[in-house]
């Protein structure tokens, strides 16, 4: 044939003319020219053909050939397609591998990347899909920045219409990472089209199923172009899988499972852990991996793989330094922690001054060249060359310590950090008295608190009565009593740790700061002893001062545990994974809500999998360095069951639920804060409002009525699956929002975006700032307070050396080094971090209205930067300004790389 068949009607005379040519035709055909290597020519794809593209070489032609070419040009249009591929570890641009030579040959022949253009519309005459345009792209260049391009020219029918999708088959033996696909030519309705891919494409030898990439235009299901409806359904079906078999690393299958892979019962009975998810231990669901069960516990999934499966596009892209955070964390956990265990004696710090050696002198790293090289590249901030032979791990002083070496001792700082520190999510208003536990008194002892009216009124020294303080909203509390008390007996059976139930009461001063008044520590009845509880208060005598410091150390260890296990892991990482899975399973990649949420899910499943593997697993970092030990993650299950509500994840609702705000239409943000100088709330509400305005503009553009929300089957299936499958143990709760109107969708999406951005930033990127000097908020309390059933020898030692008693309670040298290193890594921004509102996603730029709304969002976030700077410079705001006080910057939207204590990324990427 002169040219490929096209799916269109032709005039009879043209058809007869074309049928007179039975052989393939190439301009200026010669035997030599027809066999030139494909990378030296530009190919023209055969429409509707599975064969390799015809080669067109620009040479002089015969009049007859020129006439035929003119007829062809009238029937077809040229479209140039360029595919950009990024370098990856082990991908198609690497220099080693069994299939490398074969893949290079395919690149040379132009047969390594097959593309199919799909029309957005069906053929109006037949009602069938128009014939796809198919051909091979050939490798054309390797750019200086490491990117490679593959290129092909298509001749497409004039009536092909708009390109709606491209189907890609990777003919290499290895996967490749596609950055984007750009189409340009007179055959396109708008002249050019860019498809943002940012996705792994598996080798056809691993999976024969081709990849589908839709253009950047977004469509509700009801508005899907006719030619794309089946592809839309097929693409969703592809990522759902069948729920069977063990997942392979190259797959993109999203499904649900319980947390049954935290333990290693085959190694030791001590490493067995309960399944989280279900009636006994309610929990969000994780991504299903399909690994076989362990031998000794059929309910537990084996951990016999180096890396845990996550759907391929949830992995870090491995481009340049984008994996900075995860690779560093992996290096720390796999290389540095074992190295530290080999050189540090697990003993107490003898004096507080010896803690300073971690910052002044550091810790010598064993002379293992492989380990040193890995750590030098992974954590250059911490690992420094001491000589040609030795490297040392030397910590940077956290900013509060750098400003005031004794900041951790001050009660004012204790109160300030509840509002402007690492865990500002748990302080709550005291609304009733006396304080009472909701636990069963027959098991846990008398319910009423030992903090009496007399103790409180003595501490506030005539300012007002207790009743007046409650009425005027002056009393606040950290309440970890009922959450921790059921685990006290269990934890105390573990070696090297202890636990209490605790309550801490604060008074709001006229300066807007919180002054701690009393700490209550409680032990339930155990070991034949009755309930024990004691109240500690600030005092002026030496014994009382040290007892108060010890009580604070216990409360701060409780707060550290609740922060890491609940405010951080549970309320951001853990609850978000079901949102991601449901979004990928139920919302098409061309759905506008998918494209709105997708940036907020980048790398979260990967970092969660790494956490299951090395952080929250049996005998992992959390269990070995936090007070609850092996019960740590189980406690987060109790918090999920008793405390977590989706509707309270929204910042305004969270503040109201804790008594820290009331609705007030005349106040900024529609809320009146109970504590006016509450840095987390003040800055957080700025971010919340900016997010909500952006989401409102976006949602209202696509949904103008409630009927559109209710009839969107993908959207409804998405929200139903989040509630009933991803959070199955909470599916019957009455507080789940309904999804019936655009306003409902705006609130739901804003909440999800806030959790993945602002909420996570507030509890993550200050970890080293406030926990790097561990006496400020130690993760573990190892000994009981000396007033609880002390021996004569223990009490004598306390009186003679109270500093030693406190150091015995705080982490050991090894525990401190482990925690400080991990907190430094977790607090660090990757050089490739993507911050909230900073970058316009390609699909958002297609429509001028959405693009303008995003630019408004970006502008507002830049304004917020300045507002926060002004607040930190305001001397009237005592919780963020003053001598030796570090400014509150955790919710400043943007940041440079490293440990900065600021910056709000789009997603939970570390």
């Amino acid at each position: 044939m002169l040219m490929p068949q096209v799916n269109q009607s032709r005039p009879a005379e043209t058809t007869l003319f074309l049928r007179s040519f039975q052989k393939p035709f190439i301009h200026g055909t010669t035997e030599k020219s027809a066999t030139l290597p494909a990378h030296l020519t530009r190919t023209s794809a055969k429409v509707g053909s599975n064969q390799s593209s015809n080669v067109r070489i620009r040479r002089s032609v015969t009049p007859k050939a020129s006439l035929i070419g003119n007829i062809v040009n009238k029937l077809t249009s040229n479209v140039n397609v360029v595919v950009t591929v990024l370098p990856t570890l082990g991908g198609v641009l690497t220099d080693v591998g069994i299939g490398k030579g074969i893949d290079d040959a395919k690149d040379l022949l132009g047969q390594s990347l097959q593309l199919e253009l799909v029309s957005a519309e069906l053929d109006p005459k037949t009602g069938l899909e128009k014939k796809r345009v198919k051909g091979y792209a050939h490798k054309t260049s390797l750019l200086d920045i490491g990117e490679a391009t593959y290129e092909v020219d298509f001749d497409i029918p004039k009536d092909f219409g708009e390109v709606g999708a491209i189907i890609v088959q990777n003919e290499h033996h290895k996967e490749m990472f596609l950055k984007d696909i750009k189409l340009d030519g007179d055959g396109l309705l708008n002249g050019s089209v860019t498809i943002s891919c940012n996705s792994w494409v598996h080798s056809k030898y691993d999976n024969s199923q081709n990849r589908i990439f839709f253009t950047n235009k977004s469509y509700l299901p009801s508005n899907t172009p006719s030619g794309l409806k089946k592809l839309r359904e097929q693409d969703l079906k592809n990522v759902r899988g069948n729920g069977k078999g063990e997942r392979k690393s190259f797959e993109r299958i999203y499904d649900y499972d319980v947390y049954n892979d935290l333990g290693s019962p085959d190694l030791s009975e001590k490493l067995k852990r309960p399944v989280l998810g279900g009636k006994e231990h309610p929990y969000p669901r994780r991504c299903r991996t399909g690994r076989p069960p362990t031998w000794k516990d059929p309910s537990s999934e084996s951990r016999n793989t180096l890396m845990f499966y996550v759907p391929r596009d949830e992995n870090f892209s491995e481009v340049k330094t984008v994996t900075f955070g995860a690779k560093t964390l992996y290096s720390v956990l796999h290389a540095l922690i074992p190295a530290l265990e080999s050189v540090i004696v697990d003993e107490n710090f003898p004096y507080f001054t010896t803690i300073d050696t971690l910052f002044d002198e550091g810790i010598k790293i064993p002379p293992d060249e492989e380990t040193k090289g890995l750590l030098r590249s992974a954590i250059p901030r911490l690992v420094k060359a001491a000589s040609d032979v030795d490297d040392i791990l030397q910590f940077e002083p956290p900013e509060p310590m750098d400003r005031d070496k004794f900041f951790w001792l001050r009660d004012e700082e204790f109160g300030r950090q509840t509002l402007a520190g690492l865990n500002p999510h748990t302080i709550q208003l005291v609304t009733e008295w006396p304080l009472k536990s909701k636990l069963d008194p027959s098991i846990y002892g008398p319910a009423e608190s030992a903090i009496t009216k007399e103790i409180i009124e003595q501490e506030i020294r005539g300012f007002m009565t207790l009743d007046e303080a409650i009425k005027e909203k002056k009393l606040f509390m950290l309440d970890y009593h009922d959450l921790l008390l059921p685990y006290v007996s269990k934890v105390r059976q573990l070696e090297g740790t202890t636990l209490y139930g605790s309550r801490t009461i604060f008074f709001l001063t006229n300066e807007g700061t919180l002054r701690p008044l009393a700490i209550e520590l409680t032990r339930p009845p155990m070991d034949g002893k009755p309930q024990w509880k004691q109240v500690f208060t600030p005092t002026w005598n030496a014994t009382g001062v040290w007892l108060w410091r010890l009580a604070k150390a216990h409360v701060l260890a409780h707060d550290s545990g609740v922060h890491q296990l609940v405010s951080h892991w549970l309320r951001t990482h853990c609850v978000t994974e079901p949102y991601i899975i449901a979004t990928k399973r139920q919302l098409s990649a061309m759905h506008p809500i998918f494209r709105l949420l997708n940036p907020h899910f980048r790398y979260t499943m990967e970092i969660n999998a790494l956490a299951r593997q090395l952080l929250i697993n049996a005998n992992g970092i959390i269990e070995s360095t936090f007070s609850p030990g092996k019960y740590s993650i189980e406690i987060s299950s109790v918090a999920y069951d008793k405390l977590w509500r989706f509707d309270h994840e929204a910042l305004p609702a969270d503040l109201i639920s804790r008594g820290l705000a009331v609705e007030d239409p005349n106040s900024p943000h529609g809320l009146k804060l109970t504590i006016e100088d509450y840095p987390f709330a003040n800055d957080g509400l700025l971010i919340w409002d900016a997010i909500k305005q952006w989401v409102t503009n976006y949602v209202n553009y696509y949904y103008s009525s409630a009927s559109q929300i209710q009839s969107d089957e993908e959207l409804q299936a998405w929200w139903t699956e989040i509630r009933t499958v991803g959070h199955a143990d909470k599916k019957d709760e009455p507080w789940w929002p309904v999804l019936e109107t655009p306003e409902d969708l705006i609130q739901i999406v804003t909440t999800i975006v806030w959790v993945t951005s602002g909420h996570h930033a507030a509890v993550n990127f200050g970890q080293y700032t406030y926990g790097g000097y561990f006496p400020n908020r130690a993760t573990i309390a190892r000994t009981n307070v000396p007033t609880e059933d002390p021996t004569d020898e223990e009490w004598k030692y306390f009186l003679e050396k109270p500093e030693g008693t406190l150091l015995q309670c705080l982490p050991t040298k090894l525990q401190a080094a482990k925690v400080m290193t991990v907190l430094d890594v977790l607090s660090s921004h990757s050089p490739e971090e993507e911050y909230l509102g900073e970058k316009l996603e390609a699909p958002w730029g297609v429509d001028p209205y959405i693009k303008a709304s995003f630019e408004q969002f970006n502008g507002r976030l830049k304004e917020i930067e300045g507002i926060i700077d002004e607040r930190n410079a305001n001397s009237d705001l005592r919780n963020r300004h003053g001598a030796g006080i570090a400014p509150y910057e955790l919710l400043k939207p943007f940041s440079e790389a490293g440990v900065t204590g600021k910056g709000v990324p789009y997603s939970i990427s570390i």
Side-chain angles (χ1 to χ4, degrees):
M1 286 177 286
L2 172 68
M3 61 166 292
Q5 296 284 340
V6 292
N7 186 19
Q8 63 180 15
S9 59
R10 290 171 172 156
E13 63 270 25
T14 304
T15 303
L16 288 172
F17 182 82
L18 293 175
R19 283 178 179 172
S20 67
F21 297 91
Q22 299 298 317
K23 296 181 180 180
F25 183 86
I26 302 177
H27 294 280
T29 300
T30 66
E31 184 176 344
K32 183 177 182 181
S33 66
T35 58
L36 284 174
H39 73 285
L40 297 179
T41 66
R42 185 171 285 189
T43 58
S44 177
K46 284 187 175 183
V47 181
S49 170
N50 289 323
Q51 303 302 316
S52 299
S53 305
N54 281 344
V55 179
R56 294 192 301 174
I57 304 173
R58 310 298 183 182
R59 293 175 181 255
S60 60
V61 297
T62 64
K64 189 174 184 179
S66 180
L67 174 61
I68 296 170
N70 289 337
I71 295 173
V72 171
N73 289 337
K74 291 180 180 179
L75 297 174
T76 63
S77 299
N78 179 259
V79 174
N80 174 246
V81 180
V82 178
V83 181
T84 302
V85 178
L86 298 183
T88 64
L89 299 179
V92 299
L93 299 186
T94 52
D95 295 326
V96 295
I98 296 175
K100 177 65 177 172
I102 299 174
D103 292 344
D104 284 347
K106 286 192 172 186
D107 279 343
L108 188 67
L109 296 172
Q111 295 181 348
S112 55
L113 195 63
Q114 184 177 240
L115 308 177
E116 292 182 57
L117 306 188
V118 181
S119 175
E121 300 297 338
L122 298 176
D123 190 315
K125 295 182 178 179
T126 65
L128 302 176
E129 181 182 310
K130 293 180 180 179
K131 198 78 170 181
R132 296 176 183 174
V133 182
K134 183 182 297 187
Y136 285 100
H138 62 279
K139 192 172 182 179
T140 55
S141 66
L142 185 63
L143 306 180
D144 291 340
I145 57 175
E147 297 177 352
T149 58
Y150 289 74
E151 187 172 358
V152 59
D153 281 342
F154 287 110
D155 286 333
I156 66 173
K158 290 287 190 182
D159 64 350
F160 188 76
E162 184 174 0
V163 176
I166 293 184
I167 298 177
V168 178
Q169 183 178 76
N170 176 14
E171 303 272 352
H172 289 99
H173 286 77
K174 295 183 178 181
E175 64 186 354
M176 58 172 56
F177 189 86
L178 264 60
K179 177 183 178 183
D180 55 40
I181 303 173
K182 296 180 181 179
L183 298 81
D184 189 71
D186 57 2
L188 303 174
L189 295 183
N190 297 318
S192 64
V193 174
T194 298
I195 298 176
S196 180
C197 303
N198 292 314
S199 177
W200 296 93
V201 177
H202 56 260
S203 166
K204 77 171 186 178
Y205 301 101
D206 288 329
N207 183 355
S208 61
Q209 194 176 75
N210 293 341
R211 284 296 312 277
I212 302 168
F213 291 102
F214 298 104
T215 62
N216 290 338
K217 284 189 176 181
S218 299
Y219 299 98
L220 299 180
S222 60
N223 297 332
T224 307
S226 58
L228 302 177
K229 288 184 178 179
K230 287 186 178 180
L231 272 186
R232 183 173 186 145
E233 295 171 1
Q234 182 61 46
D235 194 43
L236 282 173
K237 183 178 179 181
N238 290 347
V239 300
R240 290 172 186 159
N242 58 11
K244 299 178 181 178
E246 184 172 356
R247 299 272 63 89
K248 304 298 187 296
S249 61
F250 59 82
E251 292 180 323
R252 298 170 56 248
I253 304 300
Y254 296 79
D255 205 353
Y256 300 92
D257 206 345
V258 293
Y259 279 75
N260 61 355
D261 63 344
L262 301 182
S264 299
D266 287 348
L267 296 179
S268 169
E269 181 67 22
K270 293 181 179 180
L271 298 179
K272 182 179 180 179
R273 296 294 179 268
V275 173
L276 302 184
K279 186 176 181 180
E280 185 174 356
H281 298 290
Y283 218 55
R285 298 303 189 257
R286 64 167 175 92
C287 182
R288 178 186 175 275
T289 64
R291 289 169 295 180
T294 60
W295 290 103
K296 294 184 178 180
D297 180 15
S299 66
S300 295
E301 188 174 85
S302 63
R303 297 167 51 88
N304 57 358
T305 55
L306 181 62
M307 297 298 292
F308 286 16
Y309 166 82
V310 295
R312 194 61 181 105
D313 279 349
E314 306 305 324
N315 287 118
F316 293 94
S317 68
E318 298 181 347
V319 178
K320 300 178 184 176
T321 53
V322 77
T323 57
F324 177 80
K327 289 174 74 174
T328 299
L329 183 58
Y330 194 83
S331 298
V332 164
L333 297 177
H334 270 281
L336 181 59
I337 297 303
L340 292 176
E341 291 173 342
S342 70
V343 297
I344 298 178
V345 178
D346 198 17
E347 61 186 7
N348 302 330
F349 288 94
Y351 306 100
F352 273 93
T353 52
T354 57
I355 297 175
D356 293 345
T357 62
L358 296 173
F359 306 98
D360 301 332
E361 301 173 13
I363 303 167
K364 187 178 295 186
I365 297 174
D368 179 328
E369 290 303 320
E370 182 178 355
T371 297
K372 290 198 296 183
L374 179 64
L375 295 174
R376 282 179 186 176
S377 62
I379 46 176
R381 166 181 150 94
L382 298 185
V383 176
K384 302 172 177 63
S387 67
D388 293 338
V389 177
D390 296 327
D391 280 358
I392 59 171
L393 177 72
Q394 185 174 357
F395 295 97
E396 296 288 335
E399 185 176 3
M401 177 189 177
D402 207 30
R403 287 170 174 257
D404 178 0
K405 190 172 183 178
F406 302 105
F407 77 107
W408 64 281
L409 277 172
R410 294 187 289 108
D411 284 351
E412 298 91 334
E413 182 67 8
F414 178 34
R416 190 188 75 84
Q417 286 186 32
T418 64
L419 302 175
L422 190 54
N423 188 30
H425 288 82
T426 54
I427 187 75
Q428 59 182 290
L429 181 69
V430 175
T431 58
E432 57 185 24
W433 203 270
L435 304 175
K436 288 187 177 181
S437 169
K438 296 179 181 178
L439 298 174
D440 186 347
S442 66
I443 299 174
Y444 299 105
E448 189 164 316
S449 170
I451 303 176
T452 63
K453 175 180 180 180
E454 290 73 22
I455 290 174
I456 296 299
E457 291 186 343
Q458 180 179 344
E459 289 302 313
I460 56 180
R461 292 185 179 86
F463 279 108
M464 57 185 64
T465 65
L466 173 68
D467 292 339
E468 290 171 337
I470 292 175
K471 182 179 180 181
E472 296 183 23
K473 299 182 178 180
K474 293 287 188 178
L475 291 185
F476 296 85
M477 173 171 58
L478 292 177
D479 187 1
Y480 302 138
H481 183 279
D482 286 9
L483 178 63
L484 299 181
L485 196 65
Y487 282 88
V488 170
S489 178
K490 296 178 183 179
V491 169
R492 289 192 175 196
Q493 295 177 36
L494 304 177
E495 184 179 352
T497 186
T498 191
L499 196 66
Y500 292 98
S502 69
R503 298 184 180 96
T504 305
I505 304 297
F506 299 88
F507 178 75
L508 180 63
T509 71
N510 292 334
E511 293 181 331
T513 59
L514 289 180
R515 183 162 70 88
L517 301 181
I519 293 173
E520 178 185 31
L521 300 180
T522 304
R523 180 201 68 198
M526 56 179 289
D527 301 331
K529 300 177 182 178
Q531 182 195 71
W532 177 91
K533 62 179 64 171
Q534 184 173 346
V535 178
F536 302 86
T537 59
T539 184
W540 296 102
N541 70 77
T543 300
V545 164
W546 279 102
L547 288 174
W548 172 249
R549 288 172 180 168
L550 283 159
K552 279 202 301 181
H554 280 274
V555 167
L556 287 167
H558 301 165
D559 191 66
S560 292
V562 172
H563 158 261
Q564 200 66 267
L565 303 173
V566 181
S567 300
H568 186 197
W569 164 253
L570 174 68
R571 291 186 61 180
T572 64
H573 289 260
C574 189
V575 301
T576 295
E577 189 149 334
Y579 308 154
I580 302 171
I581 299 171
T583 299
K584 301 301 176 76
R585 285 170 52 88
Q586 299 300 339
L587 297 182
S588 166
M590 66 169 66
H591 197 291
I593 300 304
F594 176 99
R595 284 175 161 162
L596 175 60
L597 287 174
N598 198 42
H600 299 285
F601 297 153
R602 287 189 185 115
Y603 310 139
T604 301
M605 292 179 72
E606 170 86 342
I607 201 68
N608 285 3
L610 186 59
R612 298 202 325 270
Q613 187 182 9
L614 299 166
L615 285 175
I616 65 173
N617 60 302
N619 208 33
I621 293 296
I622 296 295
E623 289 193 0
S624 64
T625 58
F626 280 73
S627 283
K630 64 182 287 187
Y631 301 102
S632 294
I633 300 302
E634 188 177 326
I635 287 176
S636 74
S637 169
V638 175
Y640 178 71
D641 182 34
K642 304 297 183 185
L643 305 175
W644 186 84
R645 298 175 47 155
F646 178 86
D647 58 334
H648 285 179
E649 289 283 271
L651 178 59
D654 169 56
L655 295 171
I656 291 170
S657 71
R658 293 188 282 119
L660 271 295
V662 295
E663 293 186 15
D664 182 1
N666 298 318
S667 296
H669 319 291
L671 294 178
K672 181 176 177 58
L673 294 179
T674 311
I675 301 175
E676 292 183 6
D677 182 15
Y678 186 1
F680 161 71
N682 286 308
D683 296 356
L685 286 169
L686 292 174
I687 301 292
W688 170 271
D689 281 357
I691 292 171
K692 189 168 186 179
Q693 185 59 60
W694 155 239
V695 173
T696 298
N697 292 342
Y698 189 99
V699 168
N700 285 340
Y701 179 78
Y702 289 100
Y703 297 95
S704 59
S705 66
S707 62
Q708 286 180 294
I709 296 286
Q710 295 162 19
S711 63
D712 186 333
E713 62 269 21
E714 287 183 8
L715 190 68
Q716 293 298 328
W718 167 75
W719 184 234
T720 297
E721 188 166 288
I722 285 174
R723 294 182 292 109
T724 64
V725 184
H727 288 274
D729 301 328
K730 293 275 194 175
K731 62 183 175 62
D732 296 323
E733 296 287 356
W735 41 253
W736 283 106
V738 297
L739 181 52
E740 296 178 348
T741 67
E743 289 72 24
D744 297 335
L745 180 58
I746 289 166
Q747 185 69 11
I748 290 168
V749 170
T750 301
T751 298
I752 293 174
V753 171
W754 161 254
V755 167
T756 61
S757 57
H759 182 148
H760 180 258
V763 297
N764 185 78
F765 294 104
Q767 291 190 81
Y768 190 77
T769 301
Y770 291 105
Y773 185 72
F774 65 89
N776 180 57
R777 46 183 302 108
T779 58
I780 189 170
R782 297 184 295 126
T783 59
N784 299 336
V785 290
T787 51
E788 183 200 340
D789 304 328
T791 65
D792 291 341
E793 183 179 356
E794 290 170 340
W795 185 251
K796 182 174 183 291
Y797 179 79
F798 165 65
L799 292 177
E800 292 179 353
K801 198 170 183 180
E803 177 188 10
T805 300
L806 180 54
L807 286 166
Q808 287 177 346
C809 183
L810 296 177
T812 64
K813 292 180 178 179
L814 179 59
Q815 288 172 331
K818 285 182 179 181
V819 170
M820 290 166 66
T821 305
V822 172
L823 292 186
D824 185 276
V825 174
L826 294 179
S827 301
S828 186
H829 290 293
S830 163
E832 297 290 324
E833 190 76 88
E834 297 182 19
Y835 297 97
L836 183 68
E838 184 179 40
K839 176 186 173 185
L840 177 71
E841 295 291 305
W844 301 344
V846 171
D847 187 275
Y849 176 82
I850 297 298
K851 183 178 181 181
S853 295
F854 176 82
E855 290 172 349
Q856 181 186 39
F857 181 42
N858 172 267
R860 179 55 180 160
L861 291 171
K862 290 177 179 177
E863 289 178 6
I864 290 172
E865 287 257 313
I867 293 171
I868 292 175
D869 285 340
E870 290 176 0
R871 288 174 173 175
N872 285 326
N874 187 342
S875 60
D876 293 332
L877 301 179
R878 303 295 179 87
N879 291 316
R880 59 197 310 159
H881 181 92
I885 290 178
Y888 186 76
E889 297 184 320
L890 289 174
L891 289 169
K892 285 191 70 172
F894 309 112
S895 174
E896 60 274 13
V899 179
T900 65
K902 59 184 177 182
V904 181
Y906 270 113
S907 63
I908 304 166
S909 58
I910 185 65

